[in-house]
Amino acid sequence: MIALNFYRRCLPVVLLTASASSFSLPIEHADVAEKGHSSLGGNEPDSIVSHVDPIEIDASLNLAKLIDLTLEKYPDATWLKALEEEAAAISERSQSWTAGASQASVGYETMYNLRLNYATGSVQVPLWNLGQRNAEQRLANEAETSAGRQTSAVKLRVAGLVRSALWNMALANIRYDQAKAELDIYEKLLSSIRRRVESGDLPRTDELLAQTEMLQKRSSLTLAEAELMHARKRYSTVTQMTRVPRLFEEKLAPLTGIEQNHPALAALNSQIERKQAELNATRSIGSGQTHVTAGILSDEGTDSRSNKAEFFNVGISVPFGGSAHLAPQIAAINVELNRLIADREQLYRDLEQAHHEAEHNLEVNRVELETANQQRKVSEELLKMTQLAFSVGEIDLMDLLRIQSRTQQAILTAKERAVMLQRDIALYNQAIGVLP
C-alpha cells in the first residue's frame, strides 16, 4: 500500500515532466511561432541510420545573397550569358556604316592576237536601305533589354525553388524535432509503467501496450529523419551548397495583384517587343540590299606605239521584285510573334490564378494558426487532467495514450502552422514577383 501511494504521488510529476518537453518549441523554432523568425537549427540530428546529408548554418548568409549564389550555378546561366553576347553582336552590326560585308575584285585579261592587255579592279559596298539601320538599332536595343529581363525572370524562378526548398526543410525539421520529443516522452512513460508493473500496480498488458506505442514512435522518428534528409538533399541540389541562412523569413509585400512589371510578364513582353523589332528589321530589307560599285580599268597594248588608257567607273545596283522571296521569312517571324502573344495571355491567367491561391492560402493559414494554438492549449490542459486521472486509477492506459496522441498532434499542428504561415508569406511574394 505504501508503494502504491508512492507511485500515485510520483507518476503525475513524471508524466508532466515528460510531456512538458513537447509543449514548448525547440529554441531554434521558438521565434517562428512568436516573432516570425525562421531557422533550421545548427545541430546535426543524432542519426538513426548512417546516411546523413549535413547542412551548415551561416549567419553571414541571407536569402537575397543565397538566391544570387544559386543563380550563378543555375543551368540557365550559360543561356543568359549567350543572350547578352547575342545582343552585343546585334548592336555591333547596327553601328556598322555598311549593311553587310564589302567585296573587292581584281581581274586581268589579254588579247594576244591584238596585243592588248586589260587589268580591272573594283570594290562593291552594300548600303543601308532607307530606315533599315534605324530598325537594326532598335532591334539591338530590344535584344539588350530582353536579355536583362530574361535574367530577372530566371532569378525569380530560382527564388521560387530556393524558397520552397528552405521552407520544406524547415517543416521537415519541425516534424523531426517533434518525433524526437515524442519518443522521449513515450520512453519515459514506458519506464514509469514498468516500475508500476513490477510493483503490481498495473497489469503486464499495460507495459506491452506502452512498449508498442514507444516502438511506433521510434519508427516515426526514423521516417521523420529520412524526410529531413530528403529535404536537405533537395536544398543542396537546388543551391549546390550546404550552407543555409540562419534567418530567411520575409515581410509580406504590399502589392495586391499582378502588375505589368512582374519579372515573368516583363520578360515575355520584352520577347514580344524584340520579335516585333526583328520583324520590322527584316521588312526593311525589302527586295535586297542596294550596292555601290567603284572600279578601275587599265587598257595597255604590247606594241610601243599603242596608247595606254585608264578608266574609272562608278555604278549602283538596286534590287527589285524580291518581296516574294522575303515573304516566307517575314511570315515565319510573324508566327513566332503571335505565339509569344498567346503565351503572354496564358501566362497572365496563370499568374492571376497563382496569386489567388497564394492569397487564399495565406488567409486560411492565419485563421488555422489561431485555431491550432487554441486547440494546443486545450489539449495540454486535458492531458494534465488525464495524467492525473490515470495516476489515481480513474482511467486506463488506453485512454491516456489516446489523449496523449491527440495532444502531441495538436502541438505538431501548431508548430507546423506557424512555419506554414511564414512559408505562405514567401510564396505570396513569389506569386506577385517580389524578390527578397
Side-chain angles (χ1 to χ4, degrees):
M1 193 60 161
I2 296 176
L4 177 60
N5 291 334
F6 174 78
Y7 281 113
R8 284 180 175 177
R9 290 195 300 270
C10 293
L11 185 59
V13 177
V14 172
L15 292 175
L16 288 174
T17 303
S19 61
S21 63
S22 66
F23 293 160
S24 59
L25 284 170
I27 294 176
E28 63 269 22
H29 296 293
D31 288 340
V32 175
E34 298 178 6
K35 300 181 182 179
H37 292 180
S38 54
S39 173
L40 297 174
N43 297 325
E44 288 294 330
D46 298 328
S47 178
I48 300 174
V49 296
S50 58
H51 178 81
V52 176
D53 294 287
I55 62 168
E56 176 187 357
I57 302 298
D58 187 349
S60 65
L61 184 63
N62 56 38
L63 183 56
K65 184 177 180 181
L66 174 60
I67 292 173
D68 289 337
L69 292 174
T70 303
L71 181 61
E72 292 176 1
K73 303 174 184 177
Y74 196 64
D76 282 351
T78 54
W79 172 65
L80 295 174
K81 184 178 179 181
L83 288 178
E84 295 176 356
E85 293 173 350
E86 181 192 25
I90 296 174
S91 178
E92 183 178 0
R93 181 181 65 184
S94 68
Q95 294 172 4
S96 174
W97 287 101
T98 62
S102 300
Q103 298 180 11
S105 62
V106 295
Y108 179 79
E109 199 174 331
T110 181
M111 299 179 67
Y112 181 76
N113 292 335
L114 299 178
R115 298 181 179 180
L116 294 175
N117 298 321
Y118 296 93
T120 62
S122 65
V123 175
Q124 188 179 55
V125 179
L127 301 179
W128 292 108
N129 294 341
L130 185 64
Q132 184 181 4
R133 191 179 186 192
N134 290 336
E136 286 287 339
Q137 289 174 343
R138 183 190 171 191
L139 174 58
N141 293 335
E142 294 297 340
E144 183 179 0
T145 300
S146 179
R149 290 182 178 174
Q150 301 313 312
T151 300
S152 298
V154 172
K155 185 175 182 179
L156 179 64
R157 186 162 66 249
V158 169
L161 295 174
V162 171
R163 282 164 164 161
S164 179
L166 281 171
W167 288 109
N168 286 341
M169 189 160 51
L171 279 172
N173 202 67
I174 283 283
R175 291 160 184 159
Y176 170 79
D177 288 343
Q178 180 67 16
K180 191 174 182 180
E182 289 184 17
L183 177 60
D184 183 63
I185 290 171
Y186 280 86
E187 285 178 343
K188 292 178 180 178
L189 178 61
L190 175 60
S191 177
S192 176
I193 289 177
R194 278 176 175 169
R195 289 195 298 269
R196 293 187 64 182
V197 170
E198 291 174 357
S199 66
D201 189 26
L202 292 174
R204 170 68 174 165
T205 54
D206 282 358
E207 179 183 354
L208 295 175
L209 181 59
Q211 187 174 8
T212 299
E213 292 294 323
M214 186 273 294
L215 291 174
Q216 289 180 350
K217 296 302 177 182
R218 182 174 295 173
S219 176
S220 297
L221 178 59
T222 303
L223 296 177
E225 182 190 89
E227 288 302 317
L228 176 59
M229 295 306 151
H230 293 332
R232 288 184 173 188
K233 182 60 179 177
R234 286 192 291 269
Y235 171 82
S236 63
T237 300
V238 169
T239 63
Q240 294 296 293
M241 66 176 71
T242 57
R243 294 185 295 126
V244 181
R246 182 174 296 280
L247 302 175
F248 46 87
E249 81 286 355
E250 300 180 44
K251 293 182 179 180
L252 184 65
L255 300 180
T256 58
I258 302 300
E259 299 186 353
Q260 290 299 314
N261 61 353
H262 187 290
L265 199 58
L268 199 47
N269 280 330
S270 69
Q271 286 182 301
I272 292 174
E273 293 296 329
R274 175 193 164 147
K275 191 59 66 174
Q276 183 65 59
E278 183 181 346
L279 182 62
N280 293 335
T282 303
R283 284 174 175 167
S284 67
I285 296 175
S287 295
Q289 297 297 150
T290 300
H291 290 80
V292 172
T293 304
I296 296 176
L297 171 62
S298 178
D299 178 7
E300 182 179 1
T302 58
D303 191 341
S304 60
R305 294 173 296 176
S306 301
N307 294 325
K308 179 179 180 182
E310 292 183 352
F311 304 90
F312 176 76
N313 60 78
V314 176
I316 183 169
S317 60
V318 180
F320 62 92
S323 58
H325 299 281
L326 191 63
Q329 186 177 350
I330 293 176
I333 297 175
N334 194 54
V335 168
E336 296 174 0
L337 174 61
N338 283 276
R339 178 70 266 173
L340 289 173
I341 293 174
D343 289 343
R344 178 181 61 185
E345 296 303 316
Q346 185 61 50
L347 174 63
Y348 189 78
R349 296 180 183 184
D350 293 342
L351 291 176
E352 281 192 322
Q353 181 66 26
H355 168 256
H356 170 76
E357 293 178 0
E359 184 179 39
H360 188 255
N361 289 338
L362 186 58
E363 293 176 355
V364 169
N365 269 324
R366 280 177 176 151
V367 176
E368 286 296 308
L369 176 59
E370 183 178 353
T371 302
N373 285 331
Q374 292 176 356
Q375 186 174 0
R376 172 180 174 174
K377 292 179 181 179
V378 172
S379 297
E380 289 174 349
E381 185 65 27
L382 177 60
L383 178 60
K384 292 178 182 179
M385 297 174 62
T386 304
Q387 290 170 335
L388 182 60
F390 175 72
S391 67
V392 297
E394 294 180 357
I395 62 172
D396 57 22
L397 181 59
M398 183 64 72
D399 292 330
L400 173 62
L401 293 176
R402 178 172 52 84
I403 300 301
Q404 178 79 48
S405 177
R406 289 183 178 178
T407 302
Q408 298 304 324
Q409 184 58 49
I411 293 170
L412 176 60
T413 300
K415 291 179 180 179
E416 287 179 335
R417 287 295 176 184
V419 174
M420 290 169 67
L421 181 61
Q422 291 296 319
R423 180 200 63 184
D424 287 343
I425 290 175
L427 294 182
Y428 180 87
N429 291 344
Q430 177 71 26
I432 60 176
V434 174
L435 291 168

